[in-house]
């Protein structure tokens, strides 16, 4: 039990230090060390991931033919089945990653606001996992792939209509 | 990259209880036919100002339950503070059925004696009476305990006024981005304390039955994890941070086990962890989504959400494992079920084709009653006595907490001055 009480102090100290440092990766690792059985992969980090997605949505409005410029895969309601277009984009990224071994990829799954939060967490996970499996099938090293689901917590469109929901049902391919 | 640095520098995780703005309660749908009760303002015997109007708190509690109709104080013909001063005729004249009187006496610096008596006007006798000695900071708590005693004496069911709620607030600002706070407050929204603050999502707070621990899901460094936190000391312990999702924590009634959703072995499944040892037992094994487990009060069963039949529906299985039995068939979708204290009812989120609403499912009849009319109602949680259900709703693009009586007659809104409020969880009775 003593160990348990110590943990938050360590966490607080590390997080406090993180306030001054700019290296988030290191912070993450230190917290993981204090835990039991964490599966430690943390490649690109979350913040840079969010940056990448922001750029992609902007550029999508333009005309870009290169599928590698599209890093957001959209899904139907309550579905984790890839559309033909989604599969085309995923395959392009898989080919790129396969020719650039050593790159780590984070698949960030999301859901629209309908349905319960925990169910949507699971749904975002399933969406990410589908792409992860396809990546593996296309020759990407499983250890280079990490799936993280934010469920409905990180919407890119804040409306309550079909258009907003369609934008939010997505997986972001981050590397 | 700029955003990353900003996010890290703001990762100020606060574990100590920080006082915050109280939720304000607004009754949005009242009920007729509550028990007419007179709550006399408590007599104050002290030099300084009375710290807390105990009588007002009791009257407000009883009104919010929907089962009482507290009479206007201006109509009272006398203001007794104990039995010797009660004239039953005065109360029959204003058509009160029951009467609450009491007084607060200063015993020393920050020391108060509180006494109350509950009377039956027509049988002209006392139904309950009690005396406490407390500090000023406990006066609200004592007022809620008096409400509980009145409620129990007159309805035969335990009251739930002296209980607490946990909830999550989210404030989005252009300068700071998102700020999530995990809050704990009295059941009437007073005494809100911030127990965790993070720029990353906080989800699914769940109370241990002893009221001393909360479990929750935090994304505080970019991955989901299940933590438990002691509310007295602020001490935290990480229970689960496996690859994939770590979600939907639910304490077993004895507080020794935690049901949770993990996707570490492929897809989201329900596991039960022995908290002391960390050992895991997998309960479900299905290629679909299984999540949102909740224990029956006798700990023999768990209900959970699964989309194994195509859309999310509620299933039940033995806590020992085995086959899952589908419980809900009405409506397009049903999710996030949890038991009331009797184990006879579930409250859940139902979609009948017109958005998400809160329903009560009778396990004996297999029938579903829909209590709300929103489009984004979610996270229902029974009061510990089963009389009310607290849930999250949306109004004007912002999240707020609402409460509805289990019979649907009374509805109220708990509003925060800033930000959006979500994911309420009601504690057990602290007894």
């Amino acid at each position: 039990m003593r160990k348990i009480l110590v943990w938050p102090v360590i966490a607080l100290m590390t997080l406090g230090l993180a306030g001054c440092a700019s290296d988030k990766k290191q912070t993450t690792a230190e917290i993981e060390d204090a835990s039991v059985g964490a599966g430690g992969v943390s490649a690109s980090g979350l913040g840079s991931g969010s940056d990448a997605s922001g750029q992609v949505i902007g550029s999508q409005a333009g005309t870009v033919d290169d599928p590698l410029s599209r890093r957001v895969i959209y899904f139907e309601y309550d579905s984790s089945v890839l559309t033909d277009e989604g599969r085309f984009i995923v395959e392009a990224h898989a080919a790129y990653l396969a020719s650039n071994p050593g790159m780590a990829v984070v698949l960030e799954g999301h859901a629209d606001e309908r349905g319960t939060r925990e169910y949507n967490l699971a749904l975002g996970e399933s969406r990410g996992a589908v792409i992860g499996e396809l990546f593996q099938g296309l020759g990407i090293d499983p250890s280079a792939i990490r799936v993280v689901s934010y469920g409905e917590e990180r919407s890119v469109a804040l409306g309550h209509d079909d258009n907003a929901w369609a934008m939010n049902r997505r997986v972001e391919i981050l590397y | 990259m700029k955003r990353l640095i900003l996010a890290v520098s703001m990762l100020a995780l606060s574990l100590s209880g920080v006082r915050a703005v109280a939720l304000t309660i607004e009754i949005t749908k009242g009920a007729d036919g509550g028990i007419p009760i007179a709550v006399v303002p408590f007599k104050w015997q002290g030099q300084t100002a009375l710290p807390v109007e105990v009588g007002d708190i009791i009257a407000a509690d009883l009104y919010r339950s929907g089962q009482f109709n507290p009479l206007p104080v201006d109509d009272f013909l006398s203001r007794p503070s104990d039995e010797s001063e009660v004239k039953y005729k005065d109360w029959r004249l204003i058509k009160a059925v029951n009467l609450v009187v009491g007084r607060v006496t200063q015993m020393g610096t920050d020391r108060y004696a509180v006494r109350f008596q509950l009377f039956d006007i027509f049988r002209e006798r006392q139904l309950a009476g009690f005396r406490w000695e407390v500090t000023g900071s406990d006066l609200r708590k004592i007022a809620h305990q008096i409400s509980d005693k009145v409620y129990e004496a007159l309805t035969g069911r335990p009251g739930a006024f002296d209980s607490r709620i946990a909830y999550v607030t989210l404030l989005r600002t252009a300068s700071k981005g998102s700020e999530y706070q995990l809050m704990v407050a009295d059941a009437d929204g007073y005494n809100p304390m911030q127990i965790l603050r993070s720029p990353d999502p906080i989800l699914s707070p769940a109370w241990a039955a002893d009221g001393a621990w909360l479990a929750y899901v935090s994304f505080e460094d970019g991955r989901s994890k299940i933590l438990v936190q002691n509310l007295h000391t602020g001490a935290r312990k990480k229970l689960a941070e496996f690859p994939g999702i770590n979600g939907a924590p639910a304490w077993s009634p004895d507080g020794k086990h935690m049901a949770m959703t993990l996707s570490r072995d492929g897809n989201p499944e329900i596991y039960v962890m022995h908290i002391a040892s960390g050992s895991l037992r997998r309960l479900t094994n299905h290629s679909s989504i299984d999540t949102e487990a909740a224990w029956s009060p006798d700990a023999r069963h768990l209900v959970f959400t699964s989309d194994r039949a195509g859309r999310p529906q509620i299933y039940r299985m033995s806590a020992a494992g085995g086959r899952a039995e589908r419980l809900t068939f009405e409506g397009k979708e049903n999710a996030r079920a949890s038991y009331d204290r009797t184990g006879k009812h579930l409250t859940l989120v139902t979609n009948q084709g017109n958005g998400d609403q809160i329903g009560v499912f009778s396990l004996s009849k297999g029938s579903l009653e829909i209590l709300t009319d929103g489009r984004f109602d979610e996270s229902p949680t029974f009061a510990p006595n089963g009389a009310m259900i607290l849930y999250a709703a949306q109004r004007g693009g912002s999240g707020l907490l609402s409460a509805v009586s289990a019979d649907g007659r009374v509805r109220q809104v708990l509003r925060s001055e800033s930000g959006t409020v979500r994911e309420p969880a009601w504690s057990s009775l602290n007894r």
Side-chain angles (χ1 to χ4, degrees):
Chain A
M1 196 63 193
R2 182 169 301 156
K3 220 173 186 175
I4 293 161
L5 294 172
V6 166
W7 186 79
V9 180
I10 297 169
L12 260 181
M13 282 166 53
T14 7
L15 293 167
L17 285 172
C20 320
S22 60
D23 187 354
K24 185 174 182 181
K25 211 168 138 190
Q26 195 185 332
T27 318
T28 317
E30 278 186 45
I31 291 172
E32 278 165 4
D33 286 347
S35 80
V36 241
V41 197
S42 177
S44 56
L46 222 211
S48 58
S50 310
D51 269 2
S53 71
Q55 289 162 4
V56 170
I57 285 160
S59 66
Q60 259 190 333
T63 57
V64 193
D65 293 317
D66 181 0
L68 288 180
S69 70
R70 292 159 67 181
R71 296 190 170 206
V72 185
I73 311 295
Y74 296 99
F75 290 82
E76 296 297 313
Y77 174 65
D78 196 21
S79 167
S80 48
V81 176
L82 277 176
T83 61
D84 290 346
E85 190 190 17
R87 188 179 167 111
F88 173 69
I89 298 168
V90 170
E91 283 174 354
H93 284 287
Y96 177 79
L97 289 165
S99 60
N100 290 276
M103 281 185 83
V105 60
V106 177
L107 301 169
E108 205 181 88
H110 301 270
D112 71 34
E113 64 180 337
R114 293 172 295 170
T116 59
R117 290 180 188 279
E118 284 284 356
Y119 183 82
N120 283 333
L121 212 52
L123 185 57
E125 176 77 15
S126 298
R127 286 172 176 161
V130 160
I131 295 177
E133 280 164 27
L134 183 50
F135 270 177
Q136 284 184 47
L138 295 170
I140 312 294
D141 177 6
S143 68
I145 305 167
R146 181 163 79 91
V147 175
V148 58
S149 172
Y150 281 98
E152 62 178 278
E153 309 307 319
R154 294 233 160 127
S155 297
V156 289
L158 294 177
H160 305 289
D161 52 39
D162 286 331
N163 289 336
W165 293 331
M167 294 292 288
N168 291 331
R169 291 190 301 267
R170 69 199 194 280
V171 169
E172 300 184 7
I173 302 173
L174 309 170
Y175 58 84
Chain B
M1 198 59 195
K2 194 176 162 196
R3 194 174 143 186
L4 168 65
I5 295 164
L6 188 69
V8 174
S9 65
M10 288 193 327
L11 197 75
L13 265 157
S14 158
L15 296 175
S16 56
V18 178
R19 216 157 264 288
V21 183
L23 299 171
T24 52
I25 294 183
E26 172 198 328
I27 311 278
T28 53
K29 182 183 167 195
D32 301 325
I35 299 170
I37 188 165
V39 182
V40 180
F42 276 38
K43 186 174 182 180
W44 167 232
Q45 298 173 311
Q47 278 77 51
T48 51
L50 173 64
V52 170
E53 291 288 352
V54 175
D56 288 355
I57 297 169
I58 299 166
D61 279 348
L62 295 175
Y63 179 57
R64 281 190 300 115
S65 76
Q67 292 165 64
F68 293 89
N69 174 28
L71 300 170
V73 175
D74 288 347
D75 293 353
F76 296 177
L77 302 171
S78 53
R79 297 205 175 182
S81 67
D82 70 24
E83 187 166 19
S84 66
E85 297 168 2
V86 172
K87 297 189 196 93
Y88 288 103
K89 185 165 58 76
D90 285 358
W91 305 102
R92 278 197 289 270
L93 276 171
I94 66 163
K95 300 198 162 34
V97 170
N98 294 102
L99 171 69
V100 176
V101 306
R103 60 175 176 247
V104 182
T105 309
Q106 190 154 24
M107 306 299 284
T109 311
D110 198 34
R111 200 78 204 149
Y112 305 90
V114 184
R115 49 167 286 161
F116 96 98
Q117 289 169 289
L118 167 69
F119 300 100
D120 181 318
I121 300 300
F122 292 93
R123 283 184 287 171
E124 300 197 357
R125 64 181 177 92
Q126 179 181 316
L127 298 175
F130 231 81
R131 183 184 185 280
W132 295 265
E133 248 188 76
V134 294
T135 60
S137 60
D138 278 339
L139 281 170
R140 284 198 76 90
K141 186 175 176 61
I142 290 303
H144 293 311
Q145 287 187 8
I146 295 172
S147 304
D148 283 342
K149 289 184 184 303
V150 171
Y151 185 92
E152 184 158 10
L154 299 179
T155 69
R157 284 204 288 182
F161 304 109
D162 180 29
S163 58
R164 292 199 286 175
I165 56 173
Y167 52 93
V168 175
T169 64
L170 168 59
L171 186 61
R172 277 200 190 95
T173 53
S175 57
K176 287 186 175 179
S178 297
E179 181 180 83
Y180 291 81
Q181 294 184 87
L182 178 57
M183 308 291 298
V184 168
D186 294 350
D188 63 353
Y190 277 81
N191 293 327
M193 302 292 281
Q194 176 206 93
I195 69 155
L196 182 73
R197 183 161 59 95
S198 170
D200 296 306
I202 301 170
L203 281 177
S204 306
W207 290 90
D210 66 2
W213 292 84
L214 268 185
Y216 53 84
V217 175
S218 171
F219 281 79
E220 59 201 59
D221 48 19
R223 45 174 76 223
S224 68
K225 55 189 72 66
I226 297 171
L227 298 130
V228 294
Q229 183 167 338
N230 185 290
L231 296 181
H232 307 307
T233 63
R236 301 206 301 172
K237 179 189 176 188
K238 184 163 16 181
L239 281 196
E241 189 183 18
F242 297 102
I245 53 172
N246 299 267
W251 300 83
S252 63
D254 67 3
K256 290 182 177 152
H257 296 86
M258 189 80 72
M260 59 182 70
T261 302
L262 305 173
S263 60
R264 51 173 240 160
D265 298 321
N267 72 311
E269 303 282 2
I270 291 163
Y271 294 74
V272 171
M273 178 182 279
H274 181 246
I275 295 173
S277 68
S279 69
L280 278 175
R281 196 159 46 89
R282 180 168 167 174
L283 278 196
T284 59
N285 191 351
H286 201 282
S287 58
S288 63
I289 291 171
D290 294 324
T291 187
E292 299 177 328
W295 298 79
S296 64
D298 63 8
R300 289 177 55 214
H301 294 97
L302 288 129
V303 289
F304 61 97
T305 307
S306 176
D307 70 342
R308 57 187 65 189
R311 288 270 182 251
Q313 294 290 350
I314 305 301
Y315 293 75
R316 176 173 60 186
M317 71 187 302
S318 163
R323 263 194 68 239
E325 164 201 9
R326 180 171 167 179
L327 293 179
T328 54
F329 294 89
E330 260 182 75
K332 278 169 65 181
E333 297 177 2
N334 293 286
R336 205 184 194 273
S338 56
Y339 284 88
D340 71 354
R341 61 187 274 275
T342 66
K344 291 178 180 162
H345 302 94
L346 301 175
T347 183
L348 47 74
V349 178
T350 186
N351 183 331
Q352 306 280 321
N354 190 28
D356 293 334
Q357 280 115 33
I358 306 304
V360 169
F361 180 79
S362 162
L363 285 157
S364 56
K365 295 182 205 142
S367 61
L368 180 67
E369 190 188 351
I370 299 162
L371 301 182
T372 69
D373 53 11
R375 280 175 68 217
F376 304 103
D377 298 342
E378 61 181 354
S379 305
T381 171
F382 269 114
N385 66 354
M388 305 282 293
I389 295 162
L390 188 63
Y391 63 98
Q394 293 267 349
R395 197 194 281 174
S398 182
L400 44 78
L401 302 188
S402 285
V404 60
S405 56
D407 61 9
R409 293 196 315 148
V410 184
R411 226 182 278 164
Q412 54 202 279
V413 166
L414 286 79
R415 197 185 303 277
S416 169
E417 263 178 39
S418 62
T420 183
V421 195
R422 49 165 73 170
E423 297 226 273
W426 209 320
S427 74
S428 303
L429 293 173
N430 293 328
R431 312 179 172 170

